[in-house]
Amino acid sequence: MEAAALLERFCSPGKGSGLRARRRLRPGELLYRAEPFAYVVSKELLGGVCERCLRRNEHLHRCSQCKVAKYCGKSCQKEAWLDHKQECKCLKSIKPNFPPDSVRLAGRIVFKLLRQSVCISERLYSFSDLQSNTEQLSEEMKDGLRHLAHTLQLYLKAEIQDASHLPAAIDFFQIFTKLTISYIESLMPTSERQKQLMRQYCFECDCHLCQDHEKDAEKLAGEESAWKEVKDAVNEVRYPKSKEEWEQVLARCQSLLSGDTGRLPDTNIYKLKMLDCAMDACINLEAWEQALCYGNRTLGPYRLYYPGFHPLRAVQLMRVGKLQYSQDMFPQALETLKEAYNIMKVTHGTDHRLMQTLMDLKEQCEAIMKIQ
């Protein structure tokens, strides 16, 4: 789940490849890969992950100019400089204020469009090809987007003094109406998904999951008053930055999970999110045994809601496998890591960085079991 929570990003979706010859594809075969057109680390995770490679790191080096962007080292900072150079000046100019994630992302898109640099992700589908659906937006939505466009204009003032002189193709309002790579999290009841899709993207989804209201009963199982309390608590959690904040989050989770709301089934989506939250807190507090207890309880619901080859399930299996490994539960860890590997080789491909980490851990586990 971590990868999905880290990014506000835009990446051009692909059209058909136009290939005349057809053949059966093998599971895990790489079809296409490209760097995203633009991406930023969400505000709540700033300082916890590298702005370039997005890896978690406790010892990041921050940009000496804006004091905002942080990197693993000189290599990542150098690779990121082209995208960060102009926003660096903008970030400095508005201190102590900070732009919303969507505004910072839009700023990067503007600078990239102005550079007219070639981006591999646009070989299939360019930014200008994206739909905006402006005519279908409500006036309330348009007012909100106009406000964002005005905020973007103020944010970019240090680099773009007069937005009216920009090329016609770079329209601040239109940038906010374009579609992005990810729509919404599927781990919501059908009615909530449909409302959010219509409000943000102006279309009704008729996929199998939406047509059949599949798994809605399991998602909201248990007493409504109990899961609403958990839902409110989960929505209040912001990504903690200190040990004390993580301790407060864990205490809140433990209180709810052991009280009346603890009687909710683990398949209830809000209790599942709280189990995930408790697991994250324990990991950050290095309470590995407790983290594993919470993690084990999430695997059944993850299998239910993310069946087949789903990347989120693979990542969760990998996290639990690492915890099992840390507790010297090598046979269990190996089985969990193998399950993650079988999914991830399809969803990520064998040369993905996360896949390499998984394979290294699996091999270490196999080596230890051979000498025992």
Side-chain angles (χ1 to χ4, degrees):
M1 296 181 71
E2 292 181 334
L6 286 178
L7 297 180
E8 285 274 342
R9 59 184 177 175
F10 162 78
C11 182
S12 303
K15 288 182 177 178
S17 64
L19 295 176
R20 293 182 181 179
R22 297 193 178 191
R23 61 180 178 81
R24 185 179 295 277
L25 297 172
R26 300 188 304 275
E29 183 175 355
L30 180 64
L31 297 179
Y32 184 76
R33 169 174 291 169
E35 286 280 315
F37 185 88
Y39 66 95
V40 294
V41 175
S42 62
K43 187 177 180 180
E44 64 180 8
L45 292 177
L46 278 175
V49 299
C50 173
E51 291 263 344
R52 171 59 185 166
C53 69
L54 306 178
R55 292 188 178 185
R56 294 183 183 275
N57 193 324
E58 295 179 359
H59 307 289
L60 296 169
H61 306 277
R62 71 179 180 179
C63 172
S64 61
Q65 298 298 311
C66 67
K67 306 291 194 298
V68 172
K70 292 189 176 183
Y71 306 97
C72 293
K74 291 183 178 179
S75 177
C76 276
Q77 187 169 11
K78 185 177 180 180
E79 291 176 9
W81 181 240
L82 189 61
D83 287 325
H84 179 60
K85 181 179 179 180
Q86 290 174 288
E87 78 164 2
C88 184
K89 187 176 179 180
C90 295
L91 289 170
K92 284 174 58 180
S93 70
I94 65 168
K95 279 189 173 183
N97 297 318
F98 192 83
D101 293 340
S102 58
V103 170
R104 188 181 174 202
L105 174 63
R108 285 199 169 193
I109 291 173
V110 169
F111 292 139
K112 194 139 192 176
L113 291 173
L114 285 173
R115 289 200 308 269
Q116 297 182 337
S117 55
V118 176
C119 183
I120 296 177
S121 67
E122 289 198 296
R123 288 180 180 174
L124 299 179
Y125 211 86
S126 71
F127 182 82
S128 61
D129 290 328
L130 296 179
Q131 298 181 44
S132 63
N133 294 309
T134 306
E135 67 283 353
Q136 298 181 46
L137 297 176
S138 66
E139 285 304 315
E140 182 182 3
M141 176 67 83
K142 289 179 182 178
D143 286 342
L145 293 175
R146 291 187 190 103
H147 176 73
L148 282 175
H150 179 65
T151 304
L152 175 61
Q153 185 174 347
L154 295 176
Y155 167 56
L156 299 182
K157 198 76 173 177
E159 281 288 317
I160 303 173
Q161 285 74 37
D162 190 348
S164 64
H165 292 164
L166 291 173
I170 302 179
D171 183 298
F172 288 177
F173 178 80
Q174 288 291 327
I175 285 175
F176 284 105
T177 64
K178 298 288 186 178
L179 298 177
T180 53
I181 159 181
S182 176
Y183 288 109
I184 55 172
E185 166 59 59
S186 61
L187 198 64
M188 291 192 293
T190 302
S191 58
E192 289 189 28
R193 292 198 312 273
Q194 293 284 14
K195 286 179 183 177
Q196 191 169 332
L197 286 170
M198 180 55 69
R199 183 175 67 252
Q200 291 185 239
Y201 303 106
C202 305
F203 75 89
E204 292 183 1
C205 180
D206 61 356
C207 72
H208 176 75
L209 187 68
C210 289
Q211 284 181 333
D212 296 350
H213 294 251
E214 189 179 357
K215 301 183 176 68
D216 275 358
E218 292 95 335
K219 288 178 180 178
L220 298 180
E223 294 183 8
E224 184 175 354
S225 59
W227 62 252
K228 279 190 173 180
E229 184 180 1
V230 177
K231 178 183 178 181
D232 292 340
V234 169
N235 289 338
E236 290 170 3
V237 173
R238 296 294 178 266
Y239 196 83
K241 297 289 178 65
S242 66
K243 179 181 179 182
E244 291 73 21
E245 290 175 341
W246 276 118
E247 288 173 342
Q248 293 171 7
V249 169
L250 180 58
R252 176 67 169 147
C253 290
Q254 289 174 331
S255 174
L256 285 169
L257 291 171
S258 62
D260 292 338
T261 56
R263 293 198 296 268
L264 292 171
D266 290 349
T267 53
N268 180 283
I269 56 175
Y270 302 115
K271 185 174 181 182
L272 175 58
K273 290 179 181 180
M274 178 146 287
L275 288 170
D276 254 331
C277 190
M279 179 184 176
D280 285 339
C282 289
I283 289 173
N284 281 274
L285 294 170
E286 299 184 1
W288 313 122
E289 188 174 353
Q290 287 187 69
L292 179 57
C293 289
Y294 291 125
N296 279 330
R297 291 173 63 179
T298 69
L299 295 185
Y302 265 73
R303 187 177 295 108
L304 174 66
Y305 297 130
Y306 302 116
F309 297 102
H310 199 290
L312 295 186
R313 183 168 160 234
V315 172
Q316 190 74 349
L317 283 163
M318 182 176 173
R319 297 176 75 206
V320 172
K322 290 173 69 175
L323 289 169
Q324 291 170 331
Y325 181 89
S326 73
Q327 298 297 299
D328 297 337
M329 301 168 61
F330 302 118
Q332 298 94 323
L334 184 58
E335 288 304 309
T336 304
L337 294 171
K338 282 181 177 178
E339 191 175 355
Y341 173 84
N342 289 333
I343 299 173
M344 202 173 287
K345 70 181 179 182
V346 174
T347 60
H348 291 66
T350 54
D351 58 347
H352 191 278
R353 283 196 301 249
L354 198 60
M355 188 64 162
Q356 295 297 323
T357 302
L358 174 58
M359 289 192 293
D360 289 344
L361 188 61
K362 186 167 74 72
E363 288 171 4
Q364 291 173 27
C365 197
E366 290 169 337
I368 292 173
M369 290 181 64
K370 284 181 181 178
I371 62 176
Q372 285 185 337

